[in-house]
């Protein structure tokens, strides 16, 4: 379930908004200049190849990219693989990559075809935690302070849109703010 939780940047315990209502989430994000959209999710996305997923979403991708702004469109996917003894280390490494506050020179545009991940947007005096699930499209504007948590058991498929090949590179602020906020796992278990 898509979830939005809004907290002051200085006090994560003071939850101002917590909602799973898509319309409210879209309105709260739009009010802050953040693009959020829903595309119908494919039920068996996990069993679908990346090429077939891109083909399935070709029309919507083309519509989103009608200006030709995004030169590189690909799919990032990670699924639990408990049969692989390396999986815990792979999961930990993947998760820690973007767990600290950073920004990018271009918009970070992601469509979640399946699974979930949480973007934390640090907008001035507040932090918005947006748990995206299959069907959610989120665009984090260039320069926006944010971090991303895929949880202790990473499992998602995301279409990524880049203007430059290295558009995913993060400029890390060195601020430890993310440590004071609930993780994705904690957000999902909170009532
Ligand atoms: Fe990022």
């Amino acid at each position: 379930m898509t979830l939005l939780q809004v907290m002051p940047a200085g006090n994560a315990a003071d939850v101002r908004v917590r909602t799973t209502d898509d319309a409210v989430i879209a309105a709260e994000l739009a009010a802050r200049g953040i693009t959020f959209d829903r595309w119908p999710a494919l039920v068996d996305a996990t069993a679908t190849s990346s090429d077939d997923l891109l083909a399935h979403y070709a029309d919507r991708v083309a519509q989103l990219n009608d200006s030709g702004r995004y030169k590189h469109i690909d799919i990032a996917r990670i699924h639990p693989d408990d049969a692989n003894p390396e999986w815990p280390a792979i999961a930990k490494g993947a998760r820690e990559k973007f767990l600290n506050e950073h920004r990018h020179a271009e918009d970070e545009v992601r469509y979640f075809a399946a699974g979930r991940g949480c973007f934390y947007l640090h907008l001035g005096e507040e932090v918005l935690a947006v748990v995206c699930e299959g069907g959610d499209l989120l665009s984090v504007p260039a320069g926006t302070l944010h971090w991303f948590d895929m949880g202790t058991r990473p499992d998602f498929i995301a279409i990524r849109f880049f203007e430059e090949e290295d558009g995913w590179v993060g400029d890390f602020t060195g601020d430890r703010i993310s440590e004071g906020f609930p993780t994705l796992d904690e957000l999902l278990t909170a009532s």
Side-chain angles (χ1 to χ4, degrees):
M1 200 179 322
T2 311
L3 169 74
L4 169 70
Q5 185 163 309
V6 182
M7 299 150 282
N11 183 9
D14 180 11
V15 177
R16 301 276 171 84
V17 175
R18 182 180 164 95
T19 180
T20 55
D21 184 319
D22 283 350
V24 175
I25 292 170
E28 293 280 353
L29 291 171
R32 294 164 175 87
I34 308 292
T35 299
F36 173 82
D37 199 3
R38 297 264 313 158
W39 295 354
L42 212 58
V43 174
D44 56 351
T46 302
T48 305
S49 74
S50 295
D51 283 347
D52 286 349
L53 277 171
L54 285 172
H56 175 77
Y57 288 108
D59 289 349
R60 286 185 181 269
V61 166
Q63 202 178 343
L64 182 71
N65 195 29
D66 63 348
S67 66
R69 174 180 174 188
Y70 303 110
K71 304 287 190 295
H72 307 277
I73 297 169
D74 69 8
I75 288 197
R77 61 194 305 163
I78 184 166
H79 302 297
D81 181 8
D82 295 313
N84 181 356
E86 303 296 323
W87 163 248
I90 292 169
K92 187 168 182 282
R95 182 180 182 224
E96 287 178 352
K97 210 168 173 187
F98 293 106
L99 210 45
N100 289 312
E101 187 186 69
H102 63 279
R103 57 166 83 84
H104 302 281
E106 60 179 63
D107 295 356
E108 182 166 350
V109 186
R110 299 287 184 271
Y111 170 71
F112 287 82
R116 66 166 68 96
C118 185
F119 277 98
Y120 299 76
L121 312 176
H122 181 187
L123 306 173
E125 297 302 309
E126 58 184 10
V127 168
L128 279 70
V130 190
V131 178
C132 294
E133 300 224 330
D136 292 338
L137 176 93
L138 186 72
S139 176
V140 181
T144 301
L145 298 175
H146 68 281
W147 65 94
F148 178 74
D149 186 6
M150 58 182 76
T152 53
R153 198 170 166 79
D155 188 3
F156 69 86
I157 303 172
I159 303 180
R160 310 186 295 183
F161 300 79
F162 300 113
E163 295 172 47
E164 303 288 341
E165 213 157 338
D166 60 355
W168 56 271
V169 173
D171 167 22
F172 287 83
T173 64
D175 192 315
R176 313 282 292 262
I177 182 172
S178 64
E179 295 173 5
F181 281 81
T183 62
L184 170 60
D185 293 31
E186 289 166 345
L187 282 169
L188 295 175
T189 53
S191 57

